[in-house]
Amino acid sequence: MFGLTSNDIGIDLGTASILVYIKGKGVVLKEPSGVAIDRNTNEIRAFGEEARLMIGRTPGNVVAVRPLRQGVISDYTVTEKMLKYFIHKAVGKRTLRKPRVAICIPSGATEVEKKAVEDATEQAGAIVLGTIEEPVAAAMGAGLEIQKAFGNMIVIGGGTSDIAVISLGGTVVSTSIKVAGDDFDEAIVRYMRKKHNLLIGERTAEEIKINIGSAYKRPELLTMEVRGRNLVTGLPKTIAVTSDETLDALDETAQQIVEVVHSVLERTPPELAADIFDRGILLTGGGSLLSGLDQLIEEKTGIHTVIAEDPLTAVAIGTGKYIDYIIGEEGKPKKRF
C-alpha cells in the first residue's frame, strides 16, 4: 500500500509561526516564520527561531523580516526559500521522492494569493496536494464533526482573524479580517508611546501581550516591568505596566474582532445559528490565547465560547488530516471538501 508516508505533510503557513505536521508523528516542527537577510549580499543568514532572536538587534546590514504579512505572502522569493528550509528540516534531505504537501490559506485569500502559496511551495521542491481554508483546517484539528449537517462556528486568529460557520465539511458563512495578533502588538506599542512616552519593540510588545495582556478585566491585577527608550530624554527607561493598562490598549482591536463575529452570526442561516447557540463558539490560533478574549466574545454575543484544547497546533493537525480526504490508498487523489 502506497498511502500516507513520512513525505506526506500538512503545513500551517502562518504569519507568526510555521508548523509542519507529519501523519503518524504529529507536529514535528514549530518555528517563527522569520528570516534574517544580509542586505549587502542579499544572502539569508538565519531562519525561524534564530531569525526571531535577531529582530530589533541586528547590525545595519542584517534585517530580520517576516515574509508573510496578515496571512498572505508579502515576499515571494524569501517565502519560497523559507518553505524549502522548513520542509527539508521536517522530512530530511535524504528522500527518494518529493514531499507531498497540503497547505492552509486564510478564508479570505484571493485566487492570486492562493496561487502564490501553491507556486512558492512547488518551487520549494514539494508537490502540492491541495489547499484548505484555515477555519476548516482548525475545526478538523480541534476534533469538530464538520462533516455532519449542523453548524459549527470557529474563530481563528494569528496574522488574520478568520471567523467562519462550517457545516457538511464546508464553509457556509465566513469573513477574514486583517486584524489579529500582530495588531495587538502594534496597539501596545502605540499605547506605550502615547501614555508613557516609551518606545518599545515588537518583541517587548509581544511579551507584554503574553504575560499580562487582556481583552477582559482580570480577577487580579498583574504587573510587569517594561524596558524601552524614553522619547523625551532618549535614554533607556524601565517602567511598571499593569494588566488594566493592556485592557485599555487592546480594547479597540479586540472590539473589531467581536464586531465581525456578530456580523457573521447575523448572516448565518437560522437553523445553523440555533446549532451554534447550543454548541458554542470555538476559538483557536495564537490570537485565542489573549486572556479574556473568550469572555469578551461570550459577553457580547450571549453564546458560550471556549478555547480549543491545543489552539496553536489545531490548524497544522487539521491540514495533515485533510490529506486523508484527498489521497487514496494507492496515492491518488480521492476526494475533496
Side-chain angles (χ1 to χ4, degrees):
M1 174 174 132
F2 194 50
L4 297 173
T5 72
S6 61
N7 276 6
D8 294 320
I9 62 178
I11 297 179
D12 174 9
L13 186 62
T15 301
S17 302
I18 285 186
L19 287 82
V20 178
Y21 173 93
I22 295 180
K23 185 71 173 180
K25 296 182 180 179
V27 177
V28 298
L29 183 146
K30 178 182 182 295
E31 290 204 35
S33 50
V35 179
I37 302 172
D38 188 321
R39 285 192 293 194
N40 293 342
T41 62
N42 213 29
E43 291 181 358
I44 292 178
R45 297 276 294 270
F47 293 95
E49 180 62 23
E50 189 180 348
R52 187 189 74 85
L53 294 174
M54 294 182 181
I55 293 176
R57 294 178 173 175
T58 57
N61 64 307
V62 179
V63 57
V65 300
R66 286 180 177 176
L68 293 110
R69 276 287 171 188
Q70 297 179 321
V72 296
I73 293 175
S74 58
D75 189 318
Y76 181 89
T77 304
V78 175
T79 300
E80 176 194 317
K81 291 178 180 178
M82 183 177 70
L83 273 168
K84 187 173 185 177
Y85 171 81
F86 285 126
I87 289 171
H88 284 169
K89 186 173 181 179
V91 303
K93 293 184 180 180
R94 291 184 177 181
T95 178
L96 296 176
R97 61 189 182 87
K98 290 183 177 182
R100 302 185 300 181
V101 173
I103 195 161
C104 72
I105 55 172
S107 62
T110 65
E111 285 300 316
V112 172
E113 291 166 343
K114 177 182 173 182
K115 186 72 165 55
V117 170
E118 291 176 343
D119 288 349
T121 307
E122 287 174 353
Q123 289 299 316
I127 298 170
V128 178
L129 294 173
T131 56
I132 180 173
E133 291 185 353
E134 283 186 16
V136 178
M140 290 180 70
L144 296 183
E145 299 175 287
I146 64 170
Q147 295 287 5
K148 295 188 177 179
F150 45 65
N152 297 281
M153 186 172 198
I154 190 157
V155 179
I156 175 171
T160 60
S161 288
D162 287 343
I163 299 93
V165 175
I166 299 166
S167 179
L168 288 172
T171 301
V172 180
V173 184
S174 71
T175 296
S176 181
I177 58 169
K178 299 184 185 302
V179 175
D182 289 347
D183 297 273
F184 288 134
D185 296 342
E186 290 168 11
I188 291 172
V189 170
R190 288 195 303 271
Y191 180 87
M192 296 298 291
R193 182 197 295 264
K194 184 178 179 181
K195 181 76 181 291
H196 297 288
N197 283 321
L198 191 75
L199 183 64
I200 62 173
E202 286 181 23
R203 284 185 59 198
T204 302
E206 187 177 29
E207 287 170 6
I208 294 171
K209 177 184 69 177
I210 291 169
N211 294 322
I212 64 170
S214 185
Y216 196 86
K217 191 170 180 63
R218 290 177 180 261
E220 57 183 66
L221 191 69
L222 299 180
T223 305
M224 176 181 171
E225 285 196 345
V226 177
R227 295 179 180 85
R229 187 174 81 235
N230 189 311
L231 289 169
V232 177
T233 66
L235 299 174
K237 183 181 179 181
T238 301
I239 65 168
V241 179
T242 68
S243 52
D244 280 357
E245 287 186 276
T246 68
L247 188 61
D248 291 338
L250 300 173
D251 180 65
E252 184 179 344
T253 307
Q255 289 295 344
Q256 288 182 56
I257 296 173
V258 173
E259 286 170 12
V260 176
V261 170
H262 195 274
S263 72
V264 169
L265 284 168
E266 285 182 335
R267 293 185 286 123
T268 300
E271 290 80 3
L272 296 182
D275 291 340
I276 293 165
F277 188 81
D278 291 336
R279 299 169 62 82
I281 297 171
L282 182 72
L283 302 188
T284 186
S288 68
L289 297 179
L290 176 64
S291 176
L293 184 59
D294 55 332
Q295 293 168 279
L296 181 66
I297 292 174
E298 183 167 328
E299 181 184 90
K300 297 296 183 181
T301 62
I303 299 172
H304 182 54
T305 304
V306 296
I307 300 170
E309 188 174 334
D310 197 349
L312 293 177
T313 61
V315 173
I317 292 170
T319 305
K321 286 182 177 180
Y322 181 54
I323 299 174
D324 284 326
Y325 292 92
I326 56 178
I327 289 295
E329 292 187 353
E330 300 305 320
K332 297 176 181 178
K334 183 175 61 174
K335 61 180 177 179
R336 296 171 186 262
F337 289 142

